Amino acid sequence: MRVLTWLLLRAGSAAFMLLLGSLVVFLLMHAVPGDAALAALGDQASPDAIADFRRLHHLDDPLAMQFLAWLRGALRGDLGTSISLAGGFSTASLIAGSLPNTLFIGAYALLLALAISITAGSIAASRHGRVEDVLATSGAIVTISMPDFWLGYVLVLLFSLELGWFPAYGFTRPGESFLGALHSGFLPALAIAVPMAGIFSRMLRATLLETFRRAYVTSARVMGFGRAFVFWHYVFRNALIPYVTAIGLQARYLLGGVVVVERVFGVPGIGSVMVDGAFARDISVVQGCAVVFLLIVILVNLLVDLLCGLLDPRTAA
Amino acid sequence: MTGLALEIRGLDLMLDPLGRRLHVVRSLDLELRRGEVLGLIGESGSGKTMTGLSLLRLEPEGARLTAEIMRAGEADLLQSEEAELRALRGRAVGMIFQDPVGAFNPAKRIAWHARQVLVRRGIADWRPAAERLLAEVDIADTARVLGAYPHQLSGGMLQRTLIALVLAANPAVVVADEPTTNLDNIVEQQILRLFRRLRQTEDAAFLFITHDMTVAASLCDRIAVMYAGEVVEIGTTAQLFEDPLHPYTAALIATARALEGEAERLPELPGEPPSIAEPRTGCAFASRCARRLEGCTLAPVPMIPLEGGRRVRCLLHG
């Protein structure tokens, strides 16, 4: 019963956030300078053509009407049609074509960041104050300070142009070849993962060090349990709860990273679709992408909460 | 073979946090017979807990521990091999803590803790053994306790459980570090009663760390008083209460009596204990002592043996 109430509350707040988020994006798109008709037809277009374009796409309707029209469609699953791309592509089809690539790169980056940060954070914490700790901690600061797009170009220089191990540009869709996607997606995923791993490993190190000081760790050692056992079952297991929570809070940075890095590596993801849409003042495309991003963040946070409930018996419903 | 459950001679513990050397335990001698309860009493920071952790060789990292003798039962605690020490922990010396809630892994059920301890002792069929152990510390609903997470049980219940788990390994010595301080009064009395019974039935000797003279008096055969890292007086509970020799012991007992309403005003001891970071020339208590002699601040005061196994670190009795 408690679980059901909780789920209903979460669904309600998610719906509210989606509504609010799409309204904010809608208003922002109208607030920025530039005009969809000019963007689509070019500087040389005749005033008549521009007027026709505006009428066709209801751009002269009151803002509230435009938003309500969009919302009505969105509730039926119709996110509108791109006004910048010839051929009347629906926004939904643009998202459906690009979202899997973005999710793949995002998940790939997250897994790499987890693997790197768990290794580095654990080593740093269990060798606290020694060479390994200093190396891991200062390495983390360096990686946090690297912008992901810059790191992307450095990785391309090193691993593609110099060593030739990975392609410098382009992406094989996971639907075509999963191994190909793993190979061609490695550098973009790594460019996102490395700065994130810096943040994650520092967070993990801090929570591990705090957990090391807990009475139950001393109590476990008093029982004669071995160091590895105590680290794994007592320290790591309990540090995992704040670590997972902290990762959930970074989900939006992950998405931000994906958008930028997709451009650098030419990955046909939702980030590229959204950036193109924004330049073309293509409101329905930007709006649709923003809603999808929002939905992903909400789902990730829900997942994190569920995971924490599983990890921590004290918060379990 | 000495026949002693615990024998410590000349234990010194030096901590080194950020290069500041702290001499937290100074030339400490203690001995415990089987079935005996020795109270280790003193204020916060007097080195009681550090003494307890030293017996498990869980002194803080970077600390320097030296002693002439440190044995628990048959085991030599002055090993340096971590693997050997790990084998001794729990078996030679067990330890119970002040905060029973914090002593358990919050992510695991009690049954998990019991299984880890018992399987390590070579008891594969751990569940009936765990139920027997819990029953021995007066836990009736053993199935519920085993199935519970630590946060679902009361402090008293967890302290009983921890005592049962520690005793499962049949240690020669059990260090109990203020095991009732965090519990309410009724539960405290129950746990003290449990200790009084266990000392009869178990083979172990108990080192009962406390700052509460009343608790010590109600449970301990002998009491060692610690002040600023040193044992200043050791003797039977009756000896100490009837005729405290060290001025600090006398002050402690006067305070305890006052708290029980036997005095009009709460006696006050002026001053503070000396810093453990600074080198010490004479008696640690000299600056607060009303009966200070000239020699007290000139040279370290040795432990002076008296009749009946009593010892005191005070020139008034030299």
Side-chain angles (χ1 to χ4, degrees), chain A residues 217-237:
Chain A
V217 174
T218 312
S219 179
R221 297 199 63 202
V222 163
M223 301 275 188
F225 297 154
R227 266 178 197 279
F229 181 88
V230 173
F231 180 79
W232 185 250
H233 288 282
Y234 282 78
V235 183
F236 189 77
R237 177 66 178 72

Short mmCIF file of all heavy atoms in Angstrom, two decimals, chain A residues 217-237:
data_model
loop_
_atom_site.label_atom_id
_atom_site.label_comp_id
_atom_site.label_asym_id
_atom_site.label_seq_id
_atom_site.Cartn_x
_atom_site.Cartn_y
_atom_site.Cartn_z
N VAL A 217 32.93 -0.96 11.59
CA VAL A 217 34.16 -1.43 10.93
C VAL A 217 35.14 -1.93 12.00
O VAL A 217 35.74 -3.00 11.86
CB VAL A 217 34.77 -0.31 10.07
CG1 VAL A 217 36.11 -0.74 9.51
CG2 VAL A 217 33.82 0.06 8.95
N THR A 218 35.30 -1.15 13.07
CA THR A 218 36.15 -1.61 14.18
C THR A 218 35.58 -2.90 14.77
O THR A 218 36.31 -3.85 15.03
CB THR A 218 36.19 -0.54 15.29
OG1 THR A 218 36.45 0.72 14.70
CG2 THR A 218 37.25 -0.85 16.31
N SER A 219 34.26 -2.91 14.95
CA SER A 219 33.61 -4.09 15.51
C SER A 219 33.88 -5.33 14.65
O SER A 219 34.14 -6.41 15.17
CB SER A 219 32.10 -3.81 15.61
OG SER A 219 31.44 -4.92 16.12
N ALA A 220 33.85 -5.16 13.34
CA ALA A 220 34.11 -6.29 12.44
C ALA A 220 35.55 -6.76 12.57
O ALA A 220 35.83 -7.96 12.56
CB ALA A 220 33.80 -5.88 11.00
N ARG A 221 36.47 -5.80 12.71
CA ARG A 221 37.87 -6.18 12.83
C ARG A 221 38.11 -6.88 14.17
O ARG A 221 38.94 -7.79 14.27
CB ARG A 221 38.77 -4.96 12.67
CG ARG A 221 38.62 -4.34 11.28
CD ARG A 221 39.78 -3.47 10.94
NE ARG A 221 41.01 -4.23 10.88
CZ ARG A 221 42.22 -3.71 11.01
NH1 ARG A 221 42.33 -2.42 11.23
NH2 ARG A 221 43.29 -4.46 10.95
N VAL A 222 37.39 -6.44 15.21
CA VAL A 222 37.49 -7.08 16.52
C VAL A 222 37.08 -8.55 16.43
O VAL A 222 37.63 -9.41 17.12
CB VAL A 222 36.60 -6.31 17.53
CG1 VAL A 222 36.34 -7.15 18.76
CG2 VAL A 222 37.26 -5.00 17.91
N MET A 223 36.11 -8.84 15.55
CA MET A 223 35.66 -10.23 15.38
C MET A 223 36.71 -11.06 14.64
O MET A 223 36.54 -12.26 14.47
CB MET A 223 34.36 -10.26 14.57
CG MET A 223 33.23 -9.49 15.20
SD MET A 223 32.35 -10.48 16.40
CE MET A 223 30.97 -9.41 16.78
N GLY A 224 37.73 -10.39 14.13
CA GLY A 224 38.78 -11.13 13.44
C GLY A 224 38.54 -11.29 11.95
O GLY A 224 39.19 -12.10 11.30
N PHE A 225 37.58 -10.54 11.39
CA PHE A 225 37.34 -10.63 9.95
C PHE A 225 38.52 -10.02 9.20
O PHE A 225 39.12 -9.05 9.65
CB PHE A 225 36.06 -9.88 9.56
CG PHE A 225 34.81 -10.45 10.18
CD1 PHE A 225 33.70 -9.65 10.39
CD2 PHE A 225 34.73 -11.78 10.55
CE1 PHE A 225 32.54 -10.16 10.96
CE2 PHE A 225 33.60 -12.31 11.12
CZ PHE A 225 32.49 -11.49 11.32
N GLY A 226 38.81 -10.58 8.03
CA GLY A 226 39.95 -10.12 7.25
C GLY A 226 39.69 -8.77 6.60
O GLY A 226 38.54 -8.33 6.47
N ARG A 227 40.77 -8.11 6.21
CA ARG A 227 40.67 -6.77 5.64
C ARG A 227 39.78 -6.73 4.40
O ARG A 227 38.94 -5.84 4.26
CB ARG A 227 42.07 -6.26 5.24
CG ARG A 227 42.72 -5.45 6.31
CD ARG A 227 44.12 -5.02 5.88
NE ARG A 227 44.88 -4.59 7.04
CZ ARG A 227 44.77 -3.38 7.58
NH1 ARG A 227 43.93 -2.51 7.07
NH2 ARG A 227 45.47 -3.06 8.63
N ALA A 228 39.98 -7.68 3.49
CA ALA A 228 39.21 -7.67 2.25
C ALA A 228 37.72 -7.87 2.55
O ALA A 228 36.86 -7.21 1.99
CB ALA A 228 39.73 -8.77 1.32
N PHE A 229 37.43 -8.79 3.46
CA PHE A 229 36.04 -9.06 3.84
C PHE A 229 35.40 -7.81 4.43
O PHE A 229 34.28 -7.44 4.07
CB PHE A 229 36.00 -10.21 4.86
CG PHE A 229 34.61 -10.60 5.30
CD1 PHE A 229 33.87 -11.53 4.59
CD2 PHE A 229 34.05 -10.00 6.42
CE1 PHE A 229 32.60 -11.87 4.99
CE2 PHE A 229 32.77 -10.34 6.83
CZ PHE A 229 32.04 -11.27 6.12
N VAL A 230 36.11 -7.17 5.35
CA VAL A 230 35.57 -5.97 6.00
C VAL A 230 35.37 -4.87 4.96
O VAL A 230 34.35 -4.19 4.95
CB VAL A 230 36.50 -5.48 7.13
CG1 VAL A 230 36.02 -4.15 7.69
CG2 VAL A 230 36.56 -6.52 8.23
N PHE A 231 36.36 -4.72 4.05
CA PHE A 231 36.21 -3.67 3.05
C PHE A 231 34.98 -3.91 2.19
O PHE A 231 34.17 -3.03 1.99
CB PHE A 231 37.45 -3.59 2.15
CG PHE A 231 37.34 -2.51 1.11
CD1 PHE A 231 37.57 -1.19 1.45
CD2 PHE A 231 36.96 -2.81 -0.19
CE1 PHE A 231 37.43 -0.18 0.50
CE2 PHE A 231 36.82 -1.81 -1.14
CZ PHE A 231 37.06 -0.49 -0.79
N TRP A 232 34.82 -5.13 1.72
CA TRP A 232 33.74 -5.41 0.78
C TRP A 232 32.37 -5.39 1.46
O TRP A 232 31.45 -4.71 1.00
CB TRP A 232 34.00 -6.75 0.10
CG TRP A 232 33.00 -7.05 -0.94
CD1 TRP A 232 32.04 -8.01 -0.91
CD2 TRP A 232 32.84 -6.38 -2.21
NE1 TRP A 232 31.29 -7.97 -2.04
CE2 TRP A 232 31.76 -6.98 -2.87
CE3 TRP A 232 33.52 -5.32 -2.82
CZ2 TRP A 232 31.31 -6.57 -4.11
CZ3 TRP A 232 33.07 -4.90 -4.07
CH2 TRP A 232 31.98 -5.53 -4.70
N HIS A 233 32.23 -6.11 2.57
CA HIS A 233 30.89 -6.29 3.17
C HIS A 233 30.49 -5.16 4.11
O HIS A 233 29.30 -4.92 4.31
CB HIS A 233 30.82 -7.61 3.93
CG HIS A 233 30.80 -8.80 3.02
ND1 HIS A 233 29.68 -9.19 2.34
CD2 HIS A 233 31.77 -9.66 2.67
CE1 HIS A 233 29.95 -10.25 1.61
NE2 HIS A 233 31.22 -10.55 1.78
N TYR A 234 31.45 -4.53 4.70
CA TYR A 234 31.11 -3.46 5.65
C TYR A 234 31.30 -2.07 5.03
O TYR A 234 30.39 -1.26 5.05
CB TYR A 234 31.97 -3.57 6.92
CG TYR A 234 31.51 -4.64 7.88
CD1 TYR A 234 31.79 -5.97 7.64
CD2 TYR A 234 30.78 -4.31 9.01
CE1 TYR A 234 31.35 -6.96 8.50
CE2 TYR A 234 30.35 -5.28 9.89
CZ TYR A 234 30.63 -6.60 9.64
OH TYR A 234 30.20 -7.57 10.50
N VAL A 235 32.49 -1.81 4.51
CA VAL A 235 32.80 -0.45 4.07
C VAL A 235 32.15 -0.15 2.72
O VAL A 235 31.31 0.74 2.59
CB VAL A 235 34.33 -0.23 3.99
CG1 VAL A 235 34.63 1.20 3.60
CG2 VAL A 235 34.97 -0.55 5.33
N PHE A 236 32.50 -0.95 1.71
CA PHE A 236 32.00 -0.67 0.36
C PHE A 236 30.48 -0.76 0.31
O PHE A 236 29.81 0.11 -0.24
CB PHE A 236 32.63 -1.63 -0.64
CG PHE A 236 32.35 -1.28 -2.07
CD1 PHE A 236 33.03 -0.25 -2.69
CD2 PHE A 236 31.39 -1.96 -2.78
CE1 PHE A 236 32.76 0.10 -4.00
CE2 PHE A 236 31.10 -1.63 -4.09
CZ PHE A 236 31.79 -0.60 -4.70
N ARG A 237 29.96 -1.82 0.91
CA ARG A 237 28.52 -2.05 0.88
C ARG A 237 27.74 -0.86 1.44
O ARG A 237 26.68 -0.49 0.91
CB ARG A 237 28.22 -3.32 1.68
CG ARG A 237 26.77 -3.68 1.82
CD ARG A 237 26.18 -4.06 0.48
NE ARG A 237 24.79 -4.45 0.62
CZ ARG A 237 23.82 -3.58 0.88
NH1 ARG A 237 24.11 -2.31 1.00
NH2 ARG A 237 22.58 -3.99 1.00
#
